[in-house]
Amino acid sequence: EQFRATFEQAAVGLAHTAPDGRLLRVNNRLAEITGYSRQELLTLRFQDISYPEDLAAAQVQIDRLLAGEAAAVTLEKRYRRKDGSLVWVTLKSSLRRNAAGAPLHFISAVTDISSRKQAEEALRQSEGRLRLALEVTGAVAFVWDVRADAMVRYFSHEPALPANPGAPEPLSAVRARVHPEDRASFDAAIAACL
């Protein structure tokens, strides 16, 4: 009864899946994530709801579990919901074996990470726009972690700047490249920011 309640009321999708991919047991949260009813899910295989391009990577992880190379695996993948839309999930799986060591079923926990993936994509697009704006204008953008005294340059075509544009460097290294006549205004600008 306690196991059943834990399985049914978990805040993540849970499934027991046969080695051939048949869904043997699912909870309500997995049904919510996929848009299928529990009864519908039990007529499907995980391959049926997986985005086709993600199946090869999933199979690699399944093979690792079956071969005993890993006790558990984690991967990010997409499910195709009943309405055809995609949902990004983190899938964590382990394999339950019988007393003789033969595979019984996979035990999987599924978490919807679509909002995180959307935020990552928005950030990637925003950084792309910033990079394009800097490239077009010939400007340079820096981010300075004051506590760590680590400044990271986002983009520059300026040959006077270091060859490794993504490497953090202290403010003193950046200041050393400022023309001596401009250092007072540079220092004043930093002081104003602080």
Side-chain angles (χ1 to χ4, degrees), residues 12-192:
V12 297
L14 294 175
H16 290 170
T17 308
D20 66 2
R22 287 176 295 116
L23 294 165
L24 304 172
R25 181 182 186 126
V26 298
N27 70 355
N28 286 332
R29 181 64 183 126
L30 185 62
E32 291 169 11
I33 290 170
T34 63
Y36 289 93
S37 71
R38 290 174 68 172
Q39 294 73 25
E40 289 171 320
L41 283 172
L42 295 177
T43 67
L44 301 172
R45 300 176 314 137
F46 87 86
Q47 295 92 332
D48 300 325
I49 61 172
S50 293
Y51 189 61
E53 292 179 16
D54 297 342
L55 282 172
Q59 190 62 52
V60 168
Q61 299 304 323
I62 290 168
D63 292 344
R64 290 182 65 223
L65 288 172
L66 289 170
E69 296 172 3
V73 295
T74 301
L75 70 148
E76 292 182 358
K77 61 177 288 183
R78 291 161 288 187
Y79 282 146
R80 186 177 300 283
R81 293 172 48 84
K82 183 177 180 179
D83 65 8
S85 64
L86 297 180
V87 58
W88 273 99
V89 299
T90 296
L91 178 73
K92 298 183 178 191
S93 295
S94 59
L95 178 62
R96 181 171 176 231
R97 297 177 182 272
N98 66 18
L104 288 175
H105 60 262
F106 298 99
I107 302 167
S108 300
V110 179
T111 306
D112 182 344
I113 59 167
S114 295
S115 58
R116 191 194 88 204
K117 286 292 191 177
Q118 290 167 353
E120 288 173 353
E121 177 60 19
L123 179 60
R124 188 189 64 73
Q125 289 179 8
S126 176
E127 287 179 342
R129 287 190 298 270
L130 173 61
R131 184 174 297 277
L132 179 62
L134 294 172
E135 181 179 347
V136 168
T137 62
V140 181
F142 289 90
V143 173
W144 181 32
D145 180 340
V146 177
R147 289 188 194 127
D149 189 23
M151 192 170 271
V152 177
R153 178 165 45 97
Y154 271 105
F155 187 83
S156 172
H157 284 298
E158 176 57 52
L161 294 173
N164 188 357
E169 57 184 339
L171 179 63
S172 60
V174 174
R175 186 180 185 279
R177 288 192 303 277
V178 173
H179 191 280
E181 293 176 8
D182 296 330
R183 285 192 185 138
S185 61
F186 178 86
D187 293 342
I190 295 294

